[in-house]
Every structure is written in structure tokens, then in C-alpha cells.
Amino acid sequence: MSDSGKKLVSKATLSYQEMQKLASHEDLLIRCQLAERHDLKPEILYFLAEDEEMEVRRRIAVNPTTPRQADLLLASDAEEEVRLQLTDKIANLAPDVSSDQQNKIQILTLEALRVLSRDQATKVRQILSEALKDVVDAPGEIIKHLAQDMELVVAGPILQFSPVLSDEDLLEIITSSHCKGALNAISKRHKVSETISDAVIATNEESAIADLLGNQSAQIREDTLDMLAERAEAITNWHEPLLQRPKLSPKAAKKMAHYLAENLLNTLQARTDLPADVINVVKEQVKKRIECDSPAEDAPDPMDILRELKEKDELDEMKLHDWLDDSQWLMATSALAVLADLPRVTVKKIIASQSGKGIMALSWKAGLSAEMGEKLQFKLAKMPIPNLLKPAENGEYPLTEDELTWHLELFGH
């Protein structure tokens, strides 16, 4: 560094001519030190924002006195490091650009934010997202754009924390393409509304629903909780958050008793909002379940009992309805095996396949209605609602007999 240049940069005040001279100085260190000063004329700062050396531009990006026109220029800088530094600074100005009547500086700041929110570098967008995630007055269009980013590190903080997003914004994101993990972030928001809860649950994304259930501030309708409790048998990561819900209905508690692990039963019994008679029913149902799953060696096989009922014309769809509603899965699968004249292992294989067409074929073979075929998909196979194969409009099976036969043959019968 030349002595003359060093003396000029260190001066308390600089004339306009001195600023011009230093801004074009061949010594990089002199230009870098100049770029850090807070008393430069706007046009000098803008000139330095176009310097060929990245380090000069980086220091201009950090400088709080840099004019907004230069910030906008730096928002498209070729060097990621420059844009990262600018993002740290410019994001703090976001609340100042949210008013309806914006002056020229606010408009330039908003445009710089807009450019940075579309930056090709994920890190730039991530820094902007982290800076704006809990800013109440952040520009709505910038927040929505970041929320729709396909990188979770960008969209996640906004989706989980931003107070700017409305339910309408969230619904739009839920029902359109979004990054993996977006629904989880939404499910963790403070005070999720019933509308948003319904939308998340309708996606059938198990991990997001688990996060929603675990969010004590999320509003979930009682009938929805009852439905989730019914579907949760095969989804173990729903069990504990369901038990911790602030409002668990007696109906849901009874339903969960059919599949609840013994260690979680203590959690259920510890609740103070369930009537004593409900707890007693839960205990009794758990006892029955254990006995059913571990029958005594001399206990009769349900198949023998059910064959006798069939011979007497007493094995009908109503009984199957009752076993399904009471979650007596062994009786239900055994009844299907007897009615369809199939081995029980085949029935279990069809149910485990979660094939709507296969389960409809099983119901048809058992002489049951198409409506029962739909119920078997939901109750026994635990299939997501959107995946259910429903009866035709006239209530009949939605497949021809040849198709039904073919789907049974896929399982060896």
C-alpha cells in the first residue's frame, strides 16, 4: 500500500476529488478500506460496487450506507459471497418496505429482496428465509415466494414460523406441488387452524400427521381425531401423540385400546379428562385383545365356530360389520375366509396387499356387498381414504366378474 494512499484513506474527512482518486487506486487494500467508510458519496459507493475485485464489492455489500441502487446491482453479483453478505444486510430492511405507499428507496429495497429470493444459490435464499421467518411486516410476496421454494431449508422456516402467511396461502401450498417436508413444517406452526389441520390430514402424509398430532396448539376436530384413532393401528408413530392430545374423546380412547402397546396404556390411564368408566372399558378391551392374540392351547379355532354359523345361515354381513367395528380382526379375517372358502392365510395376504381391487374381489367372493368391500379396505386394510376403491353409482361392484376373478387369481385363487 502506498504511503500517500494510506494517508488519504485514514483521513477523518475526504474531499470528493480524494474519494474519486482512491476509488480508482491500483492498490486493492486501499480500495477495500475505502469501501468500508460510512462517509462516502453515493456515486462513489456505486462505483465501487462495480469494482473488478470481489473483496471490494463484498465490503460495499456490507456497508450500511451503500445506496439502494448499488444494493440492487450487487443482488445480481456473479460472486455468491457478495450476495450472501448483501442478504444479511438487506433482510434487516424488510419491515421498512411493507407500507402501501412506498418511496423510491423502499421500492429499490423490495426489488433487491425479490432478486435475492430468486437467487440460484440455496444458501442465499436460506439466509433470507431465516432472517424473515418471524418478521411480522415482511413483504407478503417475498414470503409467499420463499414458502413455495423447493428446498426445505428455504421454505421450512417460513412455513413453520412466518406470521405473514394466511390460511389461504397455506392451503394453496398444501394442495399444490411443494418440497418434501413442507407439510411437516406447516403442521408444527403455532395455532394451526382446523381448516389447515383438515387439509394436512387429507394428504395422508403419515409423518406430517404425526407432527400435527404432536402440536398441542393445533386445532383438530373431535370427529377427525376419532377417525385418526381408528386408522392408527398400523401407524405406530401416531399412538403417543394421539394419547397426548388435549381433547381425546372416549370413543377414540376405546378404539385405541384394541392396538395400544402396554407401555402406552399407563399414559392413557393417567389422563384426568377421561371418565372412570371409560378407563375401565379400555382395560377390559385390552385384556380381551391380549386373550385373543394369545389363545389358550385348548381354545377352539374361530374357523370351526364360523363354519358352524355358516351352515346354520347365521354368518352374515351384519356380524362381520360388528367384528370390524369392535376391531376383532381375527374373527373378521376368519369369517372372510369361511364365507369366501379361502385359506385364512390367503385372506390375510389380500388384506396386507392394500389392493382396492383385490379386496373388492375378496368381498365379492365372500358373497358380500360392494359397500362391505369398501369398508374392508378402510377398516381392515387401513388404506388411506383417497386410495379406496368405491362401489359404482348403482351400489354394485365397480369391476366385472371377469376382472374380480382375475384379481383373486393373482393371489393363487
Side-chain angles (χ1 to χ4, degrees), residues 133-145:
K133 67 182 181 182
D134 51 8
V135 177
V136 175
D137 297 323
E141 66 165 291
I142 304 298
I143 292 297
K144 280 194 67 176
H145 187 77

Side-chain angles (χ1 to χ4, degrees), residues 1 3 9 66 118 137 157-158 281 288-291 293 306 309 323 332 353 374 381 386 403:
M1 180 185 293
D3 290 339
V9 174
T66 298
R118 290 162 172 76
D137 297 323
I158 298 294
V281 169
K288 287 180 180 178
R289 190 193 73 196
I290 293 173
E291 290 174 349
D293 290 344
L306 293 169
L309 289 176
W323 288 323
S353 73
E374 180 184 2
E403 289 173 322

Side-chain angles (χ1 to χ4, degrees), residues 25 62 121 136 217-218 272 294 315 404:
H25 203 286
V62 175
V136 175
S217 71
T272 58
S294 305
L315 183 58
L404 291 165

Side-chain angles (χ1 to χ4, degrees), residues 52 99 234 310 360 396:
E52 63 181 13
S99 60
K310 183 182 179 183
M360 276 291 191
E396 297 298 319

Side-chain angles (χ1 to χ4, degrees), residues 314-376:
E314 294 178 3
L315 183 58
D316 54 22
E317 192 162 307
M318 185 60 69
K319 279 189 169 58
L320 186 54
H321 267 292
D322 292 340
W323 288 323
L324 289 172
D325 288 341
D326 290 340
S327 300
Q328 295 189 47
W329 313 128
L330 180 60
M331 292 299 290
T333 54
S334 299
L336 286 168
V338 170
L339 288 169
D341 194 22
L342 295 172
R344 189 162 52 201
V345 66
T346 301
V347 170
K348 289 183 176 181
K349 188 187 301 183
I350 295 172
I351 297 300
S353 73
Q354 289 198 322
S355 163
K357 293 178 179 179
I359 295 171
M360 276 291 191
L362 171 63
S363 179
W364 167 75
K365 183 72 164 59
L368 304 169
S369 67
E371 181 184 354
M372 174 56 76
E374 180 184 2
K375 186 168 186 175
L376 291 173

